[in-house]
Structure formats: C-alpha cells, structure tokens
Amino acid sequence: MRRYELSDGQWERIADLMPCSGPRGGDLWRDHRQMVNGLMWKLNTGARWHDIPERYGRRQTVYDRFVRWRRDELFDRVRLQLDEEVRINAELWCIDGTNIRARRSAGGGKKGAEEPDDHALGRSHGGFGTKVHLVTDANGLPLAAVLSAGQRQELPFAIATLEAVRLPSRRGRPRTRPRRLAGDRGYSANWFRQHLRGRGIQPVIAMRDDKRRRKRPGRPPHFDREAYRRRNAVERGIGWLKGCRSVATRHHKLAVDYMAMLKLAMIQHCLRCSRLSDRT
C-alpha cells in the first residue's frame, strides 16, 4: 500500500457502495479502488489532474469518474454510511467558518444548474477565495459544510449550515439537531438564539463586547462557559481538513467540484477516526 491509499479494511467498508462493475459501452469499468486511490492522491497532494501518477490509470478517466460520482451523489451516500458507524457526539456541536485562498485557475467557471452564480468566490481582506462554513461534533468530526464567497459573514449561513446535517438513524428520521450548539461571537444575534431555542437547541454563543455595553432590560442570555471551552473542536476539524492540500487551496473552477473534494476529505477523516477503521 502506497501513501494516501486506502487499506484493505478501509476499502471493505465502502466497497459495497461503489457502482456495480459490468459491461458499459462495450468495455468494463476501470477498477474502482484504483480510481479512489487516485482521488485520494489528488486530494492530499493538491497536484493538477494531469500530474496524477500512471499507476492510477489515465488521468482523464480519474477525473471523469470523479465528476460522475459527484453527479450521482456517491460521496454523500458514502458519508452517510460512515456517519452511521462512527460514534458521533450528539450532545454538543460546534459551528465556525474559515477562508480558503483560491488560485487564479479557479476563476472563469461556467454556470450550471447546481452551480451558484458567484461560484462561491469573492474578495475579502484575506484575498481572493471561498469561505467554508462547517459544523462538527464535540470531537471535531465534520458533519456538514456550506460554501459561500470569501467576503460573506458566517451568521447569514448559520441556519443553512446547521440544516445541512443529516445523520442516519436506525430508528425514525435522520438526526438534524444537537442538544447544544457552540459558536464564537460572530454568531451572536438574538434572532439566531431564538431560532435555536425554537428547535430545542441550547445556544452556547459568546456575547459581543458592543452588546454587553448596551443597557437592555431583562436577564442576559445564559452562557455556559464550560461548554464553550470545547468549541475548539471545530478548529481542530478545520485544521484536519486543511491538511488536504486540495482543500487548503482551491484550484477548482466550479464550487460543486470543490465541495465534492471537501466531502472526499470528510470521508477520509471518517475512515481514519472510526473505531472500525483498519489499524494496521
């Protein structure tokens, strides 16, 4: 097994979710494991598609398989399967956003039905890039992500990011909410706290300094300092995802392609963190 490739134990956990190999167009599917290992190499190295080693097959074949799996929502199905096996902490979730620098090659993408008009690209103080809004559990395991332009704030995308979580459950509907949600001062807004309480979620959000100085009638919102100290879990989750160079720097022109690469990084992280993962 080469670096970045899946072990036998990791591959067995997702092999059944792969499309059935068989005749197609007079030819056979290229080995799925070979394609997945090629995508893992691309994910971790951040190299161009044309630089993928020949041991993973034709570079165009690897890219075409990536696009096909993204359109078929295969990465979502694999993530849901892995989330069901991993022990996810439902007591406390953490939310935050991070800026991703984009290269010049990321500009000039074409419009599409699933593609946002701005391609989730914009200019902020950090430069030209994309902002990733992420939700993790108390252990830093990524649960869902939403993309926006780099100059957008976190608060307007907080609800959409939280609603993107769909944890499979053996009984009934998928789990979509935690008992508590921790966020920094960027999420300090009365309407957001009311939204969380309306869904039965206790907000663990620090009050902004400017709002502390305002004299408002009534009791200030409850703030659990002990739970807020665990908010660094989302920072660890962001750091783990940025360890993949194709996530740390955006080269993709389309936001849907970058999101698919981000989901692939989340799959890799689940495979490494799961108690059922191969430890050899």
Side-chain angles (χ1 to χ4, degrees):
M1 185 181 69
R2 299 174 183 267
R3 192 178 184 184
Y4 308 131
E5 295 182 358
L6 299 182
S7 64
D8 294 338
Q10 292 173 340
W11 172 248
E12 290 176 358
R13 295 178 55 202
I14 65 174
D16 294 339
L17 302 175
M18 295 291 111
C20 297
S21 299
R24 182 182 180 279
D27 200 354
L28 297 176
W29 283 102
R30 175 75 68 171
D31 182 54
H32 288 316
R33 185 173 182 177
Q34 184 184 23
M35 297 292 103
V36 172
N37 287 333
L39 292 178
M40 290 297 180
W41 186 91
K42 170 71 171 65
L43 170 68
N44 288 276
T45 62
R48 301 181 304 172
W49 291 102
H50 294 287
D51 296 332
I52 294 179
E54 295 182 358
R55 63 176 178 270
Y56 300 121
R58 296 178 61 251
R59 296 124 186 187
Q60 187 63 39
T61 303
V62 179
Y63 175 75
D64 292 342
R65 194 71 59 86
F66 169 76
V67 175
R68 176 181 294 274
W69 287 346
R70 186 258 296 171
R71 292 175 178 174
D72 294 342
E73 300 181 352
L74 176 64
F75 300 124
D76 294 319
R77 294 195 297 271
V78 173
R79 280 194 57 247
L80 291 176
Q81 177 67 24
L82 295 177
D83 288 343
E84 188 175 1
E85 299 176 0
V86 178
R87 292 180 180 177
I88 295 178
N89 190 322
E91 176 65 27
L92 175 69
W93 292 356
C94 306
I95 186 172
D96 201 0
T98 182
N99 283 90
I100 303 295
R101 292 294 299 271
R103 306 296 295 177
R104 290 187 302 173
S105 58
K110 298 181 179 180
K111 296 182 179 180
E114 301 178 356
E115 181 71 9
D117 294 337
D118 58 359
H119 301 290
L121 290 169
R123 295 191 179 275
S124 63
H125 292 291
F128 183 61
T130 298
K131 178 164 288 188
V132 177
H133 308 267
L134 186 69
V135 175
T136 68
D137 70 348
N139 298 320
L141 186 69
L143 303 179
V146 172
L147 302 182
S148 70
Q151 76 276 11
R152 300 298 301 274
Q153 297 180 352
E154 290 88 351
L155 186 58
F157 296 88
I159 296 178
T161 306
L162 192 60
E163 291 179 348
V165 180
R166 291 289 186 273
L167 298 181
S169 176
R170 296 181 180 179
R171 297 180 180 179
R173 296 175 297 179
R175 187 179 186 90
T176 60
R177 64 189 70 177
R179 294 182 179 88
R180 293 180 292 177
L181 180 69
D184 59 14
R185 291 181 175 86
Y187 297 92
S188 179
N190 292 332
W191 64 266
F192 185 53
R193 288 189 174 90
Q194 294 175 1
H195 173 80
L196 294 178
R197 293 191 184 98
R199 300 188 63 195
I201 305 173
Q202 178 184 349
V204 185
I205 302 175
M207 183 71 73
R208 291 182 179 178
D209 294 336
D210 56 346
K211 291 187 177 182
R212 286 181 180 176
R213 292 191 292 265
R214 297 178 184 177
K215 296 182 179 180
R216 294 187 175 183
R219 182 180 301 177
H222 175 71
F223 180 62
D224 190 345
R225 295 184 180 276
E226 293 298 328
Y228 187 75
R229 290 191 179 98
R230 302 170 61 187
R231 194 195 63 85
N232 60 8
V234 68
E235 304 292 345
R236 298 198 306 268
I238 292 174
W240 289 329
L241 293 179
K242 284 188 175 181
C244 304
R245 295 186 178 182
S246 290
V247 173
T249 304
R250 175 174 170 177
H251 299 273
H252 298 84
K253 295 181 180 294
L254 300 181
V256 291
D257 286 344
Y258 179 76
M259 175 59 80
M261 193 62 67
L262 182 61
K263 293 177 180 178
L264 187 63
M266 297 167 69
I267 291 173
Q268 177 181 255
H269 188 56
C270 286
L271 288 172
R272 292 177 177 178
C273 294
S274 175
R275 68 185 186 278
L276 299 177
S277 179
D278 185 10
R279 297 181 181 272
T280 58

